[in-house]
Amino acid sequence: YDRAAMLRLDRNSFDQDDELGWRKLGNRAECRTAAADLIALYIEAHRDELARVWQIPSFKWHEAQLRAFAGDAARAIALMHQSLKPEVGPREFEGWTAYAVPWNDYVKATIAFLERDADALAKACERLAASPVPDDFSKTDISAATGIAASWPPNLGVVDGLIACFDRPYEEAYGSVECRE
């Protein structure tokens, strides 16, 4: 891949575009570590901008997932801790806490899965499932753009899959339809 071209991409193209950004690499099992390394390079190259728009935790999360998919649980766990969000965000991010707390429960559930701690995973799932629906949730519905219906709380199905397939590798427990049924 053309590393320089990837690093020149704007943050949305780099992070969300399946053909231009890291996902093109990350969707190939043999390239997951390279994609994780690329995200780390992108964070360093764009740290000020990403920090200004509070995007570093999201980028760290994607790097962590790729490392977990590649079997590097220790590095993934360390990065996942860095993707936890402060419960109180900046003034201009109204409603931050309503979304940050469930996000953090999702992250903690995933960490518990990777640490093989079934009790902590179950507790994080309970907290996530009990997350109150934010007042502005209907306004944030992006299902028209993504084709995926929004549901609350986010990522509960993923966590249910981690519990259902606790004895399997992260990639399988995370992504297998069988684990989410």
Side-chain angles (χ1 to χ4, degrees), residues 34-47:
D37 293 343
L38 178 62
I39 293 171
L41 288 171
Y42 192 91
I43 291 168
E44 288 311 309
H46 299 272
R47 181 170 290 283

Side-chain angles (χ1 to χ4, degrees), residues 68-86:
F69 290 151
D72 189 351
R75 280 183 81 184
I77 291 166
L79 288 161
M80 287 176 181
H81 281 288
Q82 294 174 43
S83 75
L84 291 165
K85 297 179 179 180

